[in-house]
């Protein structure tokens, strides 16, 4: 079976092409993030695997995710390279293409976004371009619609059988002499192509340098590099070897484009340019982003989500519960089994599932914003603000991803080059309000803030961002002092998302929530129910005498200054460490309400609007869930920073919830 490596710049349509060629969906790409690990799909014709590499501009990696592509070329077996190029940005995209051609593997090129190129007056002679790129097969495509993709897939077998010659650019006598010298030292060894390795070494690729140091002494490599760079900087205007190599390749690209690209009309301002003047405006950018968030929550809670959740609640706690009760009586199930199923599983899992419509609507809207191209603008708008606190706009991307789930948000910090900046982003991303917290918000705002649900939830999301930014300023000035960093973001053209793509994206984001309800929350609900059913005096004890009440009671005095000093809140927050959705399961089991309306009525006896808001603030900021803690440990490789992320979050959550509660009382709220 063939292995096809899919490579290209960010936002060139790699993800869309991957989905079409494999028939499967992988949640990768920008704002949706950057691919941080290679994703593998089986080609539709079962002829092999398609390996989706990170979106990169060059094989010389600046961040950990970019290093995945170089590491793949250094150590993995593959048959051919599928290079996808944005036809509307062909000059920039060809830089990576040249590096890949120098590697010498058979290459198939998908010339994507031909429709965008035409709208900008760009005409490309793909036949001539193929001749200039070592005869590589080039297929014009529009990956969003699938146009040309079947032709592309049909060419895999023929391209694989070709014997490819590596691209041989003349880099001038000084560098060519150094390349030949280094090539002679490594030829014959079990390594990737020697000339390609040599060029990557002189370009400053640290992964290649580390590989070569296993065969040549570090001192010899350092001397060769420094001597070559001295000669280059003395004889050319280049400031470094990397600068010189980039200049030679850029000139080579220009010579190619002069022969095969013409511009039939000069488009000064595209629709995207005109829209960007508004949405990225330094005064209007942030208010427009907040308006989008407000409308998102309006649709999620008020206009669409709540009615659907109410309907699902009626089914689960009405029709489904009645059917289960009849079935259990028919098979003469014991009272214990009936209690486990109805009061444990249905109450726990069902209490979370009723919020599935709201979760999916939120994910649908976030997917719409991402696929339209607007999310990249949000990162750009936030760059100036992030710069003031010691980060850059790229650090805001993991935070945006964290709105869906903190786990991929933390992992997306791999895209950040500066080590201290990456570590700081990992530690702060869990402050973003994830979808798991949304189920808890839904329960509370539906009970205490029915007429202002969107505003209350928006305030919590904004609070998470503000707290994260404030702590970033403090930490970057103390614990995480760092040098400046550069922020480069690709702004894709605005598009109307396709319904099929939106549906897939929404399902990929939301299926984890449903899967947890059917597994983790299922098991947790049974355990929580049993703790509420059993106590020191035996089984079927009053709830206040149960083990769950005893455990929650340990935390009640600590939580009392925050306004919710009862054992029920303590127990719910403790189980919330496992997964934030379990807070809802715990409350459903504790309060033993027959449906959502009854649960909300019971909760009004234990909480007031002020204490409910204080509880949500604490839930927003306190310890990350268990899965997030595990991925923080993996990403930082440090127990110290993992414990720090737990400890500081608890302290901040307690302080801010206390300020909210006491401040609310001073303002006359109750």
């Amino acid at each position: 079976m063939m292995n096809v490596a899919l490579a290209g710049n960010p936002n060139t349509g790699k993800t869309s092409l991957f989905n079409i060629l494999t028939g499967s969906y992988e949640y990768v790409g920008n704002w949706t993030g950057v691919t941080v690990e290679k994703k593998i799909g089986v080609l539709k014709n079962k002829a092999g695997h398609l390996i989706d590499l990170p979106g990169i501009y060059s094989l010389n990696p600046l961040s950990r995710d970019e290093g995945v592509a170089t590491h793949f070329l250094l150590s993995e077996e593959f048959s051919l390279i599928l290079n996808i190029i944005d036809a509307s940005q062909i000059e920039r995209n060809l830089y990576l293409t040249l590096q890949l051609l120098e590697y010498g593997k058979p290459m198939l090129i998908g010339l994507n976004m031909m429709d965008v190129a035409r709208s900008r007056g760009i005409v490309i002679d793909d036949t001539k371009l193929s001749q200039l790129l070592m005869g590589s097969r080039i297929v014009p495509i529009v990956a969003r619609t699938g146009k040309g993709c079947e032709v592309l897939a049909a060419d895999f077998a023929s391209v694989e059988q070709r014997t490819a010659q590596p691209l041989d650019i003349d880099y001038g006598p000084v560098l060519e002499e150094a390349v030949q010298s280094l090539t002679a030292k490594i030829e014959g060894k079990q390594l990737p192509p020697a000339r390609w390795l040599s060029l990557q070494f002189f370009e400053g690729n640290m992964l290649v340098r580390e590989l070569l140091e296993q065969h040549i002494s570090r001192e010899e490599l350092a001397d060769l590099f420094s001597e070559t760079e001295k000669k280059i900087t003395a004889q050319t205007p280049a400031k470094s070897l990397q600068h010189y190599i980039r200049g030679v390749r850029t000139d080579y690209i220009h010579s190619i484009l002069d022969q095969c690209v013409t511009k039939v009309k000069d488009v000064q301002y595209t629709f995207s340019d005109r829209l960007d003047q508004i949405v990225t405006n330094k005064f209007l950018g942030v208010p427009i982003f907040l308006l989008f968030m407000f409308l998102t929550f309006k649709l999620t809670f008020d206009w669409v989500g709540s009615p659907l959740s109410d309907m699902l609640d009626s089914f689960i706690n009405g029709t489904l519960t009645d059917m289960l009760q009849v079935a259990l009586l028919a098979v003469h199930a014991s009272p214990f089994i009936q209690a486990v199923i109805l009061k444990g599983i249905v109450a726990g899992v069902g209490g979370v599932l009723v919020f599935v419509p709201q979760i999916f609507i939120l994910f649908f809207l976030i997917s719409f914003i991402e696929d339209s191209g607007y999310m990249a603008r949000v990162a750009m708008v936030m760059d100036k603000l992030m710069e003031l606190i010691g980060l850059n706009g790229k650090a805001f991307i993991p935070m945006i991803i964290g709105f869906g789930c903190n786990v991929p948000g933390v992992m997306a910090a791999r895209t950040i080059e500066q080590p201290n900046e990456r570590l700081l982003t990992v530690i702060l991303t869990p402050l973003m309000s994830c979808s798991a917290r949304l189920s808890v918000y839904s329960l509370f705002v539906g009970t205490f803030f029915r007429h202002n649900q969107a505003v209350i939830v928006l305030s919590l999301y904004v609070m998470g961002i503000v707290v994260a930014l404030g702590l970033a300023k403090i930490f970057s000035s103390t614990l995480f002092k760092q040098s400046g960093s550069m922020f480069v973001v690709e702004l894709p053209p605005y598009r109307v998302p396709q319904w099929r793509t939106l549906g897939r994206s929404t399902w990929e984001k939301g299926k984890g929530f449903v899967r947890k309800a059917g597994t983790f929350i299922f098991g947790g609900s049974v355990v929580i129910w049993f703790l509420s059913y059993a106590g020191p005096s035996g089984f079927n004890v009053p709830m206040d005498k149960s083990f769950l009440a005893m455990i929650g009671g340990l935390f009640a005095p600590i939580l009392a200054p925050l306004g919710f000093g009862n054992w029920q809140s303590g127990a719910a927050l403790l189980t919330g460490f496992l997964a934030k959705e379990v807070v809802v399961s715990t409350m459903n089991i504790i309060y033993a309400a027959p449906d959502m309306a009854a649960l909300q009525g019971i909760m009004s006896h234990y909480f007031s609007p002020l204490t409910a808001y204080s509880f949500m603030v604490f839930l927003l900021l306190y310890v990350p869930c268990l899965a997030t803690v595990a991925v923080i440990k993996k990403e930082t490789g440090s127990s110290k920073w993992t414990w720090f992320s737990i400890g500081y979050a608890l302290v901040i959550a307690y302080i801010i919830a206390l300020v909210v509660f006491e401040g609310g009382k001073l303002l006359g709220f109750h």
Side-chain angles (χ1 to χ4, degrees):
M1 291 180 71
M2 74 175 81
N3 285 331
V4 181
L6 175 59
N9 286 187
N11 289 309
T12 51
K14 285 194 315 96
T15 301
S16 298
L17 184 61
F18 182 93
N19 297 336
I20 290 170
L21 296 180
T22 63
S24 63
Y25 182 85
E26 291 289 349
Y27 180 63
V28 295
N30 287 344
W31 340 127
T32 76
V34 174
T35 319
V36 291
E37 294 176 353
K38 64 183 181 189
K39 306 291 183 181
I40 302 176
V42 178
L43 293 169
K44 282 183 178 178
N45 60 7
K46 310 298 182 185
H49 296 97
L50 184 62
I51 303 160
D52 183 20
L53 298 173
I56 53 173
Y57 296 103
S58 165
L59 290 176
N60 188 4
L62 295 175
S63 62
R64 289 171 62 186
D65 72 305
E66 291 178 354
V68 172
T70 299
H71 187 269
F72 179 86
L73 294 177
L74 292 175
S75 59
E76 300 287 340
E77 290 292 329
F78 61 101
S79 311
L80 70 141
I81 298 171
L82 173 56
N83 178 213
I84 185 164
I85 293 175
D86 178 357
S88 66
Q89 303 285 348
I90 187 169
E91 180 179 340
R92 184 181 64 234
N93 281 236
L94 281 177
Y95 190 86
L96 175 63
T97 303
L98 296 188
Q99 290 182 308
L100 294 171
L101 285 169
E102 287 178 330
Y103 189 87
K105 275 283 188 181
M107 183 184 287
L108 176 61
I109 296 175
L111 197 57
N112 192 27
M113 301 189 189
M114 292 296 289
D115 52 341
V116 178
R118 280 193 296 271
S119 70
R120 295 180 179 178
I122 300 170
V123 176
I124 300 171
D125 183 344
D126 54 273
T127 304
K128 182 66 176 177
L129 180 61
S130 173
Q131 295 171 1
L132 296 170
L133 295 178
M134 305 300 294
S136 299
R137 171 80 167 117
I138 295 178
V139 179
I141 62 173
V142 181
R144 285 182 63 247
T145 63
K147 183 179 180 181
C149 294
E150 295 303 323
V151 176
L152 192 73
D155 286 336
F156 284 153
S158 60
V159 172
E160 181 193 21
Q161 293 167 6
R162 291 176 52 184
T163 301
Q165 292 297 320
L167 176 64
D168 192 352
I169 299 173
D170 184 357
Y171 287 95
V174 174
L175 185 55
E176 287 294 338
E177 182 182 344
V179 166
Q180 289 175 16
S181 174
L182 182 55
T183 299
K185 296 177 188 295
I186 57 178
E187 272 185 335
K189 300 182 185 294
Q190 294 295 316
L191 291 170
R195 178 177 172 82
W196 178 82
L197 281 175
S198 300
L199 287 168
Q200 286 295 309
F201 167 75
F202 287 115
E203 197 173 355
N205 190 319
M206 293 307 298
L207 291 177
V208 169
R209 188 176 193 130
E210 289 170 7
L211 177 64
L212 293 178
E213 284 175 354
Q214 298 174 21
H215 302 274
I216 304 173
S217 72
R218 182 176 298 181
E219 293 75 16
E220 188 177 355
L221 286 171
D223 289 343
L224 180 59
F225 186 92
S226 60
E227 287 173 13
T228 306
E229 189 165 61
K230 282 179 184 176
K231 291 178 182 178
I232 288 291
T233 53
Q235 298 179 23
T236 71
K239 298 177 182 178
S240 65
L241 259 176
Q242 186 176 1
H243 184 205
Y244 174 76
I245 293 172
R246 177 168 285 277
V248 173
R249 288 201 185 118
T250 300
D251 291 341
Y252 192 86
I253 290 169
H254 287 160
S255 69
I256 291 174
L257 297 181
D258 288 342
Q259 299 177 64
C260 63
V261 177
T262 55
K263 201 156 187 179
V264 296
K265 62 179 178 179
D266 191 15
V267 180
Q268 294 293 333
Y269 287 101
T270 64
F271 171 75
S272 292
D273 294 331
R274 289 192 291 270
L275 198 54
D276 279 342
Q277 289 180 339
I278 300 171
V279 301
T280 63
N281 182 278
K282 63 180 180 179
F283 300 113
L284 298 176
V286 173
I288 289 173
F289 171 59
L290 292 176
L291 177 62
F292 268 105
M293 293 293 289
F294 174 73
L295 292 175
T296 296
F297 294 131
K298 264 292 186 186
L299 285 164
T300 301
F301 292 99
D302 291 345
W303 295 336
V304 181
S306 289
L308 291 177
S309 288
D310 290 342
M311 290 168 59
L312 186 57
D313 177 43
S314 298
F315 171 74
I316 292 175
N317 291 306
T319 307
L320 180 61
T321 301
D322 293 342
M323 289 169 61
L324 286 172
Q325 200 161 20
V326 170
L328 290 169
L329 290 171
V331 298
H332 306 292
S334 68
F336 178 80
I337 296 298
Q338 291 185 48
V340 169
I341 294 174
L342 298 176
K343 296 182 179 179
I345 297 171
V346 174
V349 178
V352 173
L353 287 179
V354 296
F355 299 113
V356 163
Q358 293 176 328
I359 300 294
F360 271 81
I361 288 170
L362 177 67
F363 282 146
F364 176 83
L365 295 170
I366 290 176
S367 296
F368 185 91
I369 294 171
E370 289 169 349
D371 293 351
S372 69
Y374 175 62
M375 200 62 89
R377 275 78 181 175
V378 174
M380 184 176 138
V381 165
M382 294 300 294
D383 180 51
K384 288 294 181 185
L385 179 59
M386 301 293 280
E387 190 178 334
L388 293 175
I389 61 171
L391 296 172
N392 71 33
K394 189 176 280 191
F396 195 66
I397 297 164
M399 296 181 183
I400 293 173
I401 297 171
F403 287 155
C405 178
N406 291 161
V407 170
V410 169
M411 294 175 67
R414 296 176 185 178
T415 62
I416 299 170
E417 298 87 355
Q418 223 278 345
N420 277 353
E421 196 169 322
R422 182 167 61 244
L423 178 57
L424 181 55
T425 305
V426 165
I427 288 171
L428 293 177
T429 296
L431 296 175
M432 298 300 102
S433 190
C434 64
S435 61
R437 295 175 175 100
L438 193 67
S439 59
V440 186
Y441 300 160
S442 298
L443 176 60
F444 277 87
V445 297
T447 305
F448 300 100
F449 308 100
R450 183 164 291 275
H451 301 296
N452 298 290
Q453 296 185 58
V455 174
I456 294 297
V457 175
L458 177 61
S459 73
L460 292 166
Y461 274 73
V462 172
M463 183 181 294
I465 296 171
V466 170
V467 171
L469 298 184
L471 289 173
K473 180 63 177 175
I474 296 170
F475 290 159
S476 63
S477 304
T478 53
L479 298 174
F480 301 93
K481 289 184 178 179
Q482 56 205 0
S483 56
S485 59
M486 181 177 63
F487 174 53
V488 178
V489 62
E490 181 85 15
L491 294 182
Y494 289 101
R495 308 182 183 95
V496 177
Q498 294 181 303
W499 289 107
R500 182 183 175 190
T501 304
L502 282 178
R504 282 177 167 177
S505 179
T506 302
W507 171 245
E508 285 298 312
K509 292 184 178 83
K511 72 179 182 182
F513 185 87
V514 177
R515 189 186 295 122
K516 272 201 287 186
T519 54
F520 191 81
I521 297 172
F522 179 93
S525 296
V526 173
V527 172
I528 293 164
W529 174 83
F530 183 77
L531 289 173
S532 71
Y533 182 79
S537 60
F539 298 108
N540 199 18
V541 299
M543 188 75 71
D544 290 342
K545 305 296 183 183
S546 66
F547 286 124
L548 190 62
M550 292 175 62
I551 296 169
L554 296 175
F555 299 96
I558 302 171
L559 300 173
L562 309 182
F564 43 89
N566 51 66
W567 70 263
Q568 292 92 338
S569 298
L573 289 169
L574 180 64
T575 58
F577 172 62
L578 303 176
K580 296 299 183 285
E581 302 98 327
V582 182
V583 171
V584 176
S585 299
T586 305
M587 288 189 163
N588 269 282
I589 292 168
I590 288 173
Y591 296 126
D595 55 37
M596 191 56 60
L599 175 62
Q600 292 171 343
I602 294 171
M603 285 178 58
S604 64
H605 295 295
Y606 291 88
F607 293 90
S608 68
L610 177 58
T611 57
Y613 191 74
S614 176
F615 183 90
M616 288 190 290
V617 168
F618 189 81
L619 180 92
L620 163 70
L621 303 172
Y622 90 128
V623 295
C625 70
L626 190 60
T628 304
V629 170
V631 81
I632 290 173
K633 175 67 168 67
K634 180 183 176 183
E635 294 299 306
T636 62
S638 166
S639 297
K640 179 185 76 172
W641 290 120
T642 304
W643 282 109
F644 176 80
S645 67
I646 295 172
Y648 95 81
L650 267 174
V651 172
I652 290 297
Y654 197 91
I655 292 172
I656 295 181
L658 182 63
V659 170
V660 166
F661 181 61
E662 293 297 334
K665 287 199 299 184
L666 288 174
L667 294 173
F669 295 102
H670 54 80

